[in-house]
Amino acid sequence: MPSVAGILLALSVLSSLAAGLFGITPLIAGLFQLVAGAILWLKVPIGVRRVSLVLLVGGIAIFFMATEPPSLVTAISKNQQMIAMLAAIGLLRYSPRLKTAETIPQGPRAIWQTLFGLHWLASVINISSLLIFSDRLAEKNGHLKWFQGMMLSRGFSMAALWSPFFVAMGVALTYAPGADYRQMMLWGLPFSQVLLAGMICHVIRKYPDEVEAFRGYSFRLSTLIVPAGLAFGVIVLHQLFPRLSILTIITLLAPCYPLLANREHRPGVLLKRFVLEDLARMGPEVVLFASAGVLGSGLSVLVAGRFFNLTGTINPLLFICAGLALILIAASLGVHPVVGVTIVAGIASGIPLPADLLALSFLFGWGLGVLINPISGVHILLSGRYGYPGTNAWRLNVPFVVTAYILACGWFGIYWLLLGQ
C-alpha cells in the first residue's frame, strides 16, 4: 500500500503542474494527496497524527462557525502546490555527490568553510546536504558531539530564510497571497548571511576549545555552481513566464538536475525508486500540510465572514513582529512552524498588510522555529541517526533565536520605513 501512496503523490505532482501550467482545477491534485495521506496514516508518527487531527477538527469546526459558506475545493487544495513542490524537490537528494578537497580544515577556518558550504548547498538540495556533512563530521562511533550538531543545525536552518527550494518558501507564498519571492530573497539572503557570520564570530569567542577541535568539511568552490544555476533558472523562468507561480516553476525545474546529472542510475530507474520508496515515506508531511490547509481555509472563511476584524486596531508592523513571536513560542513548545504560520495567516487575512513583509516573517518563523523546536525534523534526524542530544536544542539555541528575533524585528522595521509607511 505505501507504494500506491507514492504513485498517488507522483500523480499529484503532475496534476499540480497541469493546474499551474494549463489552468485545470487544483482539486485533482488535492484529492490525490488526500487519498495518499489516508493510506499512509497508520505509518505516520502518533505525535504528527495528533497534531493533524487537532488541525483538521479545528478547521471543520471553524467552517460551521463562519457566516460564509465553506469551500471544500479550497480546503482540499489549499496546500496542494506546497506538497507537490516538497515531493518534487525530494529528487534533489539524488544529485551527484560532492567532490571534496584533500585537506580537512580544522579550527576557525573549518567553522567558516563548513557552515557556509552547508548553508549554500542546503539552499538547493535541502536535508540531503545535512546528511552529507553530518556523515563526514560524525565521530568513529557515528555520533555527533553537541557542538557539531548545534553548528550544523544552525548553518542548515538559516537557508530557510531565503531559499526558494525550501518548503518554507512554499508555505510563505501560500499563506501570504501576492508576495513576490524575489523580494523575499532580496531581504532574506543578506540577513541570513550576516546572521550566520555574526553567529560564527560569537561562537569562536565563546567556545574556543570546541572551535579549535572542530574538523570541518572542505569542498571545491565549483560545487556551488549547481545551487547558483538552479536559483538562476528559477528567476529566469519566472521573468519569461510571469503568470506561472513560483511554486509551479520550482516543482517543474527541481527534478531536472538530478535526473540528467545522476550517472549511477538511468532516469527511469531513478524515478521508479523515488516514487515507490521515497514518496511513500512522505506520510508525515502530507497529513500535516493537508490538515493545516483545512485549518487555514477555515480561518480565512471565519475572518472573511467578519466574525472578528482587526483592521485599524493594530499597527501592521507590530502585528507582524507579534506574529513571528507567536510562531517561535509555539515552535519552542514542539508545535510545527506550519501550524503557527497557519494561525497567524488566518488572523492576518483581516488586516491590510504588505504581503512581502508578511511572507518574510513566515520564512523567518520557519528557519528560527526549526532551531528552537526540540522535535523538529532537523533535530529528530540528528538525534536518531547521529546521537545528537536533540532534547538540548531548546537550551542551546534560545539565546541565538531570541537575538535573531530582535534583529529580525529591526530588519522588518527598515523594510517598513523604505516602503514609506
Side-chain angles (χ1 to χ4, degrees):
M1 290 298 283
S3 59
V4 174
I7 294 172
L8 290 173
L9 289 174
L11 291 174
S12 79
V13 173
L14 297 177
S15 301
S16 181
L17 286 174
L21 295 172
F22 309 116
I24 72 168
T25 176
L27 177 62
I28 298 175
L31 287 174
F32 278 135
Q33 294 162 0
L34 191 64
V35 176
I39 292 174
L40 297 173
W41 178 258
L42 293 180
K43 294 185 176 297
V44 174
I46 189 169
V48 176
R49 276 187 277 167
R50 288 172 178 169
V51 172
S52 299
L53 279 175
V54 170
L55 298 179
L56 189 62
V57 172
I60 294 174
I62 291 174
F63 275 136
F64 288 104
M65 294 169 58
T67 57
E68 295 290 328
S71 171
L72 292 178
V73 174
T74 301
I76 294 174
S77 61
K78 175 76 173 179
N79 286 341
Q80 61 84 15
Q81 275 191 310
M82 188 163 53
I83 296 173
M85 186 193 81
L86 182 61
I89 63 178
L91 261 172
L92 287 168
R93 67 171 58 98
Y94 291 104
S95 299
R97 287 277 181 171
L98 284 173
K99 294 181 179 179
T100 60
E102 295 180 1
T103 58
I104 298 177
Q106 185 170 350
R109 174 169 166 257
I111 294 285
W112 287 96
Q113 276 196 353
T114 301
L115 292 197
F116 272 95
L118 170 62
H119 177 89
W120 278 90
L121 192 67
S123 69
V124 171
I125 68 172
N126 211 287
I127 200 73
S128 300
S129 63
L130 188 60
L131 291 171
I132 293 171
F133 277 67
S134 297
D135 283 346
R136 178 59 63 90
L137 269 62
E139 303 291 314
K140 292 182 179 179
N141 60 3
H143 288 186
L144 288 171
K145 295 180 179 178
W146 69 268
F147 183 76
Q148 294 170 317
M150 182 179 73
M151 290 292 94
L152 291 175
S153 62
R154 291 182 182 182
F156 170 80
S157 299
M158 291 304 97
L161 303 187
W162 66 272
S163 171
F165 292 96
F166 262 64
V167 70
M169 182 68 78
V171 171
L173 292 173
T174 299
Y175 286 95
D180 187 342
Y181 82 100
R182 291 167 296 188
Q183 286 295 318
M184 296 158 66
M185 290 181 65
L186 179 65
W187 284 84
L189 178 57
F191 184 86
S192 68
Q193 305 308 288
V194 172
L195 184 62
L196 190 56
M199 184 272 292
I200 293 174
C201 291
H202 173 72
V203 163
I204 290 174
R205 292 195 303 270
K206 186 174 181 179
Y207 305 107
D209 295 338
E210 286 81 2
V211 169
E212 285 301 324
F214 187 88
R215 291 169 63 84
Y217 195 127
S218 179
F219 60 96
R220 304 176 191 277
L221 187 62
S222 60
T223 57
L224 296 180
I225 293 177
V226 172
L230 285 173
F232 179 74
V234 170
I235 295 173
V236 170
L237 283 178
H238 190 64
Q239 290 295 115
L240 293 176
F241 306 100
R243 292 186 178 181
L244 294 183
S245 75
I246 187 65
L247 298 185
T248 298
I249 293 174
I250 294 173
T251 303
L252 182 65
L253 187 61
C256 295
Y257 174 67
L259 288 176
L260 296 176
N262 192 302
R263 298 181 181 180
E264 297 181 6
H265 304 284
R266 295 193 303 273
V269 175
L270 186 59
L271 275 175
K272 180 179 179 181
R273 176 182 173 184
F274 176 69
V275 170
L276 299 182
E277 298 180 14
D278 293 70
L279 289 185
R281 292 194 290 265
M282 274 188 62
E285 294 90 343
V286 173
V287 300
L288 184 62
F289 289 127
S291 56
V294 174
L295 178 63
S297 300
L299 287 172
S300 298
V301 170
L302 187 67
V303 174
R306 300 182 181 276
F307 189 83
F308 61 87
N309 194 335
L310 297 177
T311 303
T313 64
I314 189 171
N315 179 275
L317 178 60
L318 179 61
F319 176 87
I320 287 175
C321 292
L324 176 57
L326 175 62
I327 295 170
L328 295 180
I329 292 172
S332 70
L333 298 176
V335 178
H336 196 286
V338 72
V339 179
V341 169
T342 300
I343 294 173
V344 172
I347 300 173
S349 61
I351 307 173
L353 299 172
D356 294 337
L357 186 54
L358 179 63
L360 191 65
S361 74
F362 292 160
L363 283 186
F364 284 31
W366 189 285
L368 297 175
V370 163
L371 281 178
I372 206 172
N373 188 334
I375 57 173
S376 67
V378 172
H379 290 132
I380 289 175
L381 172 66
L382 294 178
S383 177
R385 184 175 176 124
Y386 302 102
Y388 169 66
T391 53
N392 293 332
W394 192 89
R395 177 180 58 83
L396 292 173
N397 288 313
V398 161
F400 172 68
V401 171
V402 170
T403 302
Y405 169 75
I406 295 172
L407 294 175
C409 290
W411 193 237
F412 296 161
I414 295 173
Y415 186 106
W416 184 258
L417 291 175
L418 290 179
L419 283 178
Q421 300 293 330

